[in-house]
Amino acid sequence: DVKVTQSSRYLVKRTGEKVFLECVQDMDHENMFWYRQDPGLGLRLIYFSYDVKMKEKGDIPEGYSVSREKKERFSLILESASTNQTSMYLCASSPAGAKYEQYFGPGTRLTVT
Amino acid sequence: GENVEQHPSTLSVQEGDSAVIKCTYSDSASNYFPWYKQELGKRPQLIIDIRSNVGEKKDQRIAVTLNKTAKHFSLHITETQPEDSAVYFCAATYNAGNMLTFGGGTRLMVKP
């Protein structure tokens, strides 16, 4: 059974802080993704990675960066948090042969005040 | 990139009735269309998917249909139960299958 975990379920940060969101998967998946979820907008892709140290921009990468130093771990970084980054953040992973069959983590609800 | 529109945004049905959620997509190269169910406070979970070489797929009370010519696909839930209450997301691949674009979601409420 695929397990994708995220470091925090709830996080409150102040404007301008640097924020790290961590995601770990235990199924040896090559692909990992970061989405944000906002009401009425569905899930929007921020960044994804198909291999260690590789990253690709998604649809809304502005204000975010990512790091993938190990295969099982994919970090999302908000360099200087802003109130419009208040959202639910979902991590997902998928195997190399089926990158679109994505398994999601439980999400981190981030509030920036 | 791909654009996926999903309707309706909310849907309320009586237990035992059917529910239909519709999505349209823009990229004619899309070839995989998954549906996710997200219960309150939980992660999205894949419930059914369909590939472009198939017109319909069923799994017990849920089915998905695909019309590639019209670029739309639908989720059908029959004999709805209260535990079907959730937000449902459709999605379509783009960028040579490397990415998924999601619809805006449908909140389904099944009244007992």
Side-chain angles (χ1 to χ4, degrees):
Chain A
D1 195 25
V2 177
K3 194 168 182 184
V4 181
T5 58
Q6 295 182 228
S7 50
S8 306
R9 291 302 304 271
Y10 301 94
L11 209 52
V12 179
K13 295 292 181 181
R14 294 192 182 277
T15 301
E17 278 194 85
K18 191 168 186 175
V19 182
F20 292 87
L21 303 182
E22 301 280 332
C23 175
V24 177
Q25 50 92 8
D26 67 356
M27 283 304 291
D28 203 35
H29 283 173
E30 282 73 15
N31 305 301
M32 295 188 76
F33 307 82
W34 274 107
Y35 293 91
R36 65 176 281 176
Q37 181 178 11
D38 301 288
L41 297 178
L43 282 68
R44 293 179 291 165
L45 182 65
I46 305 171
Y47 268 96
F48 71 100
S49 168
Y50 52 86
D51 202 351
V52 176
K53 296 192 186 296
M54 305 300 287
K55 60 184 178 185
E56 295 277 349
K57 292 181 180 179
D59 298 318
I60 51 165
E62 296 79 18
Y64 304 94
S65 61
V66 290
S67 172
R68 192 156 181 211
E69 297 296 318
K70 293 185 177 181
K71 189 175 185 180
E72 68 272 17
R73 189 178 299 268
F74 192 34
S75 301
L76 180 70
I77 304 153
L78 287 66
E79 296 289 343
S80 177
S82 63
T83 54
N84 63 11
Q85 293 178 309
T86 291
S87 187
M88 171 69 83
Y89 290 87
L90 288 163
C91 173
S93 73
S94 66
K99 59 183 62 159
Y100 35 72
E101 293 179 8
Q102 298 179 16
Y103 297 87
F104 284 87
T108 296
R109 182 162 295 283
L110 172 67
T111 302
V112 183
T113 61
Chain B
E2 172 77 280
N3 185 41
V4 176
E5 301 277 343
Q6 183 172 347
H7 299 281
S9 56
T10 59
L11 179 59
S12 182
V13 300
Q14 210 63 39
E15 183 177 358
D17 287 350
S18 294
V20 180
I21 303 170
K22 299 182 179 182
C23 290
T24 60
Y25 61 98
S26 59
D27 187 350
S28 57
S30 294
N31 58 8
Y32 175 74
F33 307 89
W35 286 88
Y36 285 83
K37 176 184 180 182
Q38 186 177 29
E39 296 178 43
L40 191 62
K42 296 192 176 178
R43 70 193 74 196
Q45 293 202 300
L46 180 68
I47 55 170
I48 195 167
D49 54 22
I50 191 166
R51 297 178 194 275
S52 58
N53 57 347
V54 174
E56 184 175 1
K57 184 176 178 181
K58 281 185 181 178
D59 184 2
Q60 298 182 353
R61 294 186 299 106
I62 61 173
V64 58
T65 58
L66 171 65
N67 183 329
K68 283 216 76 179
T69 304
K71 289 192 227 164
H72 64 71
F73 57 113
S74 301
L75 178 72
H76 304 253
I77 307 173
T78 58
E79 300 171 26
T80 53
Q81 300 167 5
E83 53 264 38
D84 294 329
S85 296
V87 178
Y88 292 81
F89 293 99
C90 63
T93 53
Y94 72 105
N95 190 16
N98 289 321
M99 297 186 187
L100 281 176
T101 292
F102 286 81
T106 297
R107 182 173 297 280
L108 174 64
M109 293 168 283
V110 180
K111 299 182 209 173

